[in-house]
Every structure is written in C-alpha cells, then in structure tokens.
Amino acid sequence: MTQTHDSDDGPTDTTHSTDVDLEIDAASERDPLFARIPRRDFMKAGMAAGAVGAMGSLAGCTSILDRDGSVSIDDVDTDVAPGELDEYYAFLSGGHSGEVRVYGVPSMRQLMRIPVFSKESARGYGYDDETREMLEESGGYTWGDVHHPRVSQTDNEYDGRWLFVNDKANGRLARIDLTYFETDAIVDLPNQQGTHGACALMPDTKYIFGVGEFRVPLPNDGRNLDDPEEYTSVLSAVDPETMNPVFDVLVDGNMDNADSGKDGRWFFGTCYNSEEAVTESEMTRSDTDYVQAFDIPAIEDAVENGDYEEIDGVPVVDGTKDSSLNGGDSPIVHYIDVPSNPHGVTVTPDGSYAIASGKLDNTCSVIDIARLDEVDDLTDAIVGQPELGMGPLHTRYDDRGHAYTSLFIDSQVVKWDIERAVDSEPGSDEAVVDRIDVHYSPGHLNTSQSYTADPRGDWLISLNKHSMDRFLPVGPTFPVNDQLIYIGDDEEGMQLVKDTPGHPEPHDATIVHRDNIEPETVYDPDDLELDQIGLDETGIEREDGRVHVKMYNQRNHFGHDTVTVEEGDEVTITTTNIESAENIVHSLAIPQYDINVKTAPQETREVTFTADKPGVYWMYCAYFCSALHLEMRSRLLVEPKED
Ligand code: CUK
Ligand code: CUA
Ligand code: CA
C-alpha cells in the first residue's frame, strides 16, 4: 500500500533559530486604523543569521528580517540580479502535471520541478526500478492532480525535512524528501476517492491528513451503487515516517479543504455537501454547510479503545453526527454551521481562530477555537463574520494581525484586520483595510512562512486561474498567472510586483525561508539502498537467463563499452555516478527499451528489463555532462535466440 524508497534516516539537521527580538511599532502607532490591533511586541525573527552566508548573498540584502514595522517597497529588492539568490523557496503545486514546482521568491524564477505522480525522464523518475515500482504499487495511474503542498514542521516552524502533497484525482498522498528534492513515498488511501485537502497535524507533523472529498460507498466494491445516502467521506490520518494509514474518521457530508490548529488538538475541515447530494443543484440547496472540527486526542482514544470498524486494513472511527462517539461531553467531531458551501479554512498563526471562507457567501467565518469547549450552540463559537467581497476562497496571514483573502469572483485580494472583524458586527466591512485587483480569478494565495506560527509578512503570491490579456496568446489553453504582491507596507498597501505565467493548472503554494531548507548537492551513499558500483566493481553476472550488469558512469564513459546479452534475458543494470563534483549528472538511456536512468553525483540506480528485441542498441548519456558528452556511450548487443 505504501511504497517508500530509502533515505529514511532522521530529519535534516536544520539549524534552529536564534530568536531575534524585533520590536514592531508598525503602522499601529501612526495610523488610527490600526489602533485596535493588540500589539505583539516581539516577533521571532526566523532562523539564525549565521546560516545566511553559506549559500551566497541575499537579494540586495534587504530582508524583512531587518525591518522595524512595515517597510516601504523602495527599501526592498524586488528583483534578484543575475548571480544573486532568492530569499525564499516557493513550492507550487503543479496540478494535473502531477508535479511540484520550486520557485525562488521574490524573483519568481522556476528553480526545479519535482515529479510526484507522473513519470519524468529528465529526473529519471519512473524509469528506474525503484521509482517505477513506487508508481505502480500506488495504483499505476499515469497522472495525478497536486493541489496542496505542505512542508513539515517542528514546533510550528518549517523544519525542511519533507514536503507532502495530495493527489486529488486518485486519492493519494505523497512525500517529497527535501534533502534531495525527490519523491520518496506515495500512499494510495484505501477508503478515499479524491483526496482534496492535505495537511499535517501541528505543532510537530504528527500525522498527515488526506481529506476525502468525493462520497463513495465504503468499501467501494459494488455495493450501494445508486444509494447516495449510503455513500461516505473520510478523513485519513497517515504516519509521516512510514506513510502508512493510521486511522480514518467517517463524517457526515463531505470535506473540501483543511488545516490544523497549532497545539495538536484540533483539525478543521470544510464541508460543502452537507446535503449529501450528487448533483450541483442539490449540493447548493441548503443555506448552511459545516466546518468540521476534529478533536484528535479524542479520536486517538476511540482508536485505542477499539471503538472502530476495520475496513481495508484501516481502523475507521465513526464521526458522524449520530455516532455514539459524538453523543457525550467530548464529541470527536464538532459540526459548526457556516454559510452555504464554504471552501478554504486556515488557522491563524497564533492558533486562536479557524477562518473559513464563504465561497457562495461574501463573508469569512471567524471561529474562536477556545470556545469550542465552552459553548452549547457551536455557532456561538463564530465570533466574527466580516463582509469581504464576492467569492472568498482562501485566507492567509501576516505577522501584524492581518488576514488576506482571495476573492475569486471579484478578482481581488482583500486585506483585513482579524481583531477588528471580531469587534465589528457580522456582515460589516469595517475590518477591511485594503484591496488589490489581481489578474484574474484567484484560487489560493499564500504568504511567506504563513502556515507556521511566525509568518513573515513580506510577500504574497496570488495564484490566479485566468490570465486573459496578460501574456502573448498561446492558443486556446491559457497559462495561469501567479502574481507576486508585496504586503510589507501597511501604509502604502499591497503592491503588485510581478506577473508569472504558469503551466495549468496549479492550486496552492508554500513559501519557506531558505534558511529552513538544507538540500544536499551530492548524494550520501548511506542514504541510498543500493550498493555503489565503484571503478573496480564493474562486472556482468549471468544465471539462468538473468543478467546483472554492474557499471559505474563518469565523464565520459560507462563501466562497460559493450554489454552482450541474449534475446529473452532479463537484464538488470546497476549504475553509479562515481563523480564527486557537484552538478555533474549523467544518465543511462536505452530509448528502444524505454529507459532513461538519471544519476546525480554519488547516486546509484537500477533498472530491469527483458531484452526481447535482438539488435544493436546504443546506451548513451542523455545529460550534457562534458565536451565529450556525445561520445559517452556503450553498446548493448542483444543476440538473437537460436532455435
Ligand atoms: S482548492 Cu484549488 S483553489 Cu484544491 Cu485548495 Cu481552492
Ligand atoms: Cu554523461 Cu553526458
Ligand atoms: Ca451545500
């Protein structure tokens, strides 16, 4: 069910923070608009300054780290000159491409693409035995739909260890190892079809949750085909180390997006289909749907006590409204009525509020998390409902008490003051501080470090679904438009900095300070399962129609000039890039056998195939590695079988 590949040793040794106390006197001192923001006197200013030097110079050296309150855009380097490095990594979901795209912020340069659910020959992904088996054993689908990239955290701060993503199309979750920027595990969730929301339980990434959007019979084995009221939707908890499912929670309605609280207790999901319907018109019939608040320790107790039914190997806990587990004083799932068809839900950096976006309603609902234990009527936990504009979808945060909500229909990002929303009447727009037009139809948006307890409040990316007139026409399928917006200046307001066209159709992003990520540039052989093939270990072993070819590769040749096998042999080639110099990548391509195995320095990979086509096949290096790259090739001779 779960397929992992090696490199499973401990967390990246991320340098943890020296707290730098920066006083934020901010706009609150000058602008009466801000008078009611409770002041946070100190912020944790991210990671140790000492780590910065290791990787080259910061863009223009103007980091928001150095600021005192809001900072004019004139004092921020928005361009990253050639040869300079970005301050942030942004991990963008690649949508149907089944990949994650890595950008630099603020340059918005695309740095890398990490294949997850689809094969990718440049990375050799899906072309060697290990990654091919990982894709096959997690369902064998040829594509996935990545929506939600989330980086693992320790103590509510990005720890640079893993990036988790969902596959909305096929009900899967995957893990990317951020030491090597490659996918190392995929789990096909047994009781879900369409895993939409994906995120981890904070503060320490105890579980990864896959959020089941599509209601289906459970198990989905042909029963109850046309009996929609018998369909179900589950929240699935997965262990981040093993990537095995731990438990499922059955809910009423469905689930869409989700986010975790900050203290390990609560997890929130939105439900747009409380009607439990199968058509759009029925799914929008009710005036209200839910935010589901999952009490995780209570659910763990239920699992511990055996209060579950095992389905497809996973303990399924009944969290529906009528469940006995929801009958007593400590229900495992709370159903909070919110206006019809909510979409995003996120928890504020201080862990106080869960904010759900209205989608069909012009408001967001601010849920006071502490009140969930106190109120009889859960709607009394909704302490604010600011009117924001048409089509609110997703909300993110800065470090100065503001929320930023995307408005799909209005094509805007609206900035609002959270405490002022709590203090004002429901439906009033008093909390709105600023609006900016985006181009066009934003889905998600994200701000730097904003899933952590310490967002930075400098950059926002608006991930717009439509680009219309913004770029040269490229046919009827338009690029999306990822816009970079500077949000660090409360007086001037939000400022549009950059348009970035993107291949359709991504969704979310996570923006992580570069000090929180420490990738290796050369493989550590101990992180790989396969033994290296050194200069003296080249050889060809034969046994009963099986041939094992061991060969290193380096500039500009392979360990064998010629490999001779017989038609019908099952051939395994193990190949090690024995270079220790950074940035020298080779591959072993045998296109007629659909093979292109990439090896980065010190990396070992293995590929197995049946030599069923007699003839001469050039095995060549498909990565431009040196002046004699074209000469880096060997022959595979497949002798015809004698009758
Ligand atoms: S969903 Cu994409 S716009 Cu999949 Cu996070 Cu809201
Ligand atoms: Cu090695 Cu090209
Ligand atoms: Ca509904």
Side-chain angles (χ1 to χ4, degrees), residues 4 41 70 84 95 174 184 199-200 253 262 275 282 381 385-386 422 427 435 465 563 596 630:
T4 54
D41 285 323
S70 67
E84 287 188 338
D184 76 345
C199 44
K262 303 293 187 200
E275 299 88 347
E282 289 167 4
Q385 218 154 40
V422 170
R435 297 176 184 278
K465 305 291 185 193
V563 172
N596 189 17
L630 293 169

Side-chain angles (χ1 to χ4, degrees), residues 127-129 132 545-549 551 563 565-574 588-590 592-597 606-613 617 619 636-638:
Y127 293 91
D128 73 312
D129 288 353
R132 192 168 59 195
R546 297 208 66 227
V547 182
H548 188 186
V549 181
M551 60 185 196
V563 172
V565 300
E566 281 178 25
E567 181 184 356
D569 280 349
E570 187 181 285
V571 182
T572 297
I573 302 177
T574 310
L588 176 73
I590 319 174
Q592 288 71 24
Y593 282 97
D594 198 28
I595 288 167
N596 189 17
V597 176
E606 203 161 82
V607 63
T608 301
F609 61 99
T610 302
D612 53 6
K613 295 182 278 270
Y617 300 97
M619 307 190 287
L636 171 69
L637 308 181
V638 182

Side-chain angles (χ1 to χ4, degrees), residues 554-556 585-587 621-626 629-630 632:
Q554 71 175 150
R555 281 164 289 179
N556 304 298
V585 176
H586 302 291
S587 81
C621 172
Y623 247 84
F624 205 106
C625 50
S626 77
H629 151 76
L630 293 169
M632 185 171 173

Side-chain angles (χ1 to χ4, degrees), residues 316-433:
V316 181
V317 179
D318 186 359
T320 57
K321 285 180 163 180
D322 293 338
S323 163
S324 59
L325 294 167
N326 280 333
D329 286 343
S330 50
I332 61 170
V333 183
H334 299 240
Y335 291 82
I336 307 158
D337 289 338
V338 294
S340 167
N341 292 45
H343 186 60
V345 60
T346 50
V347 172
T348 54
D350 62 3
S352 301
Y353 304 113
I355 297 181
S357 306
K359 190 166 80 178
L360 300 187
D361 186 82
N362 291 354
T363 67
C364 276
S365 296
V366 181
I367 297 163
D368 185 336
I369 296 172
R371 285 205 188 201
L372 293 173
D373 284 324
E374 297 162 3
V375 295
D376 292 328
D377 179 350
L378 285 168
T379 54
D380 290 339
I382 301 173
V383 294
Q385 218 154 40
E387 219 240 285
L388 301 174
M390 304 251 293
L393 289 190
H394 291 283
T395 302
R396 293 291 182 272
Y397 308 98
D398 68 16
D399 55 334
R400 306 182 301 279
H402 302 117
Y404 299 79
T405 299
S406 55
L407 302 176
F408 182 81
I409 297 169
D410 279 345
S411 279
Q412 285 185 332
V413 171
V414 55
K415 173 181 178 180
W416 51 284
D417 184 302
I418 300 164
E419 287 304 329
R420 197 171 322 142
V422 170
D423 289 344
S424 56
E425 288 297 309
S428 111
D429 64 359
E430 265 174 60
V432 173
V433 174

